[in-house]
Amino acid sequence: MSGANDPTQHALGAAHADLMGVEFDSFDAEREEITLRFHAPDSFITPRGSVQGGLVAGFLDEVMGWAHVWATNHEEAPLNLDLTMTILRPVLAGPLVGKGRVIRRGRKAIFLEGELFDMDGKLLARSTSTAIPTPRPVAKD
């Protein structure tokens, strides 16, 4: 579904998104839920054999943030106050699916939730975030 008509394409071309292999999949406006695809490169793997925890948080942060961006018609972006994450299974190199959703949105605070799955649909990690709604930054060309 990504392509020239995908409004996230310009921002997803950012260096951090390129490292994570981010691709837009879908957005469900009724549920305010976005699905993104990722690719965890071998360079993210620790000597334990799985993706480093802070990088797992990056996948979850990305999917939660885009949920809010899409839910506000690309007018706002969240500024995190906190992010809580639980890793349930090792996150391995390769393709991943992230789902992010807006749980509650107010004028001064947003509550977000994210999940990271392997390609078999097994839940690997989940997160919540409290954020401040801010105007979406304009990309610099």
Side-chain angles (χ1 to χ4, degrees), residues 27 34 48 70 73 80 84 109 111 114 136:
F27 179 70
I34 196 165
R48 292 182 190 267
W70 275 76
N73 199 29
N80 281 340
T84 302
F111 301 92
R136 186 165 174 222

Side-chain angles (χ1 to χ4, degrees), residues 26-40:
S26 63
F27 179 70
D28 181 332
E30 187 175 319
R31 292 181 48 129
E32 294 188 334
E33 180 178 86
I34 196 165
T35 302
L36 298 178
R37 297 191 176 276
F38 299 99
H39 185 84

Side-chain angles (χ1 to χ4, degrees), residues 44-52 90-93:
F44 283 18
I45 302 302
T46 70
R48 292 182 190 267
S50 59
V51 174
Q52 191 270 344
V91 177
L92 305 177

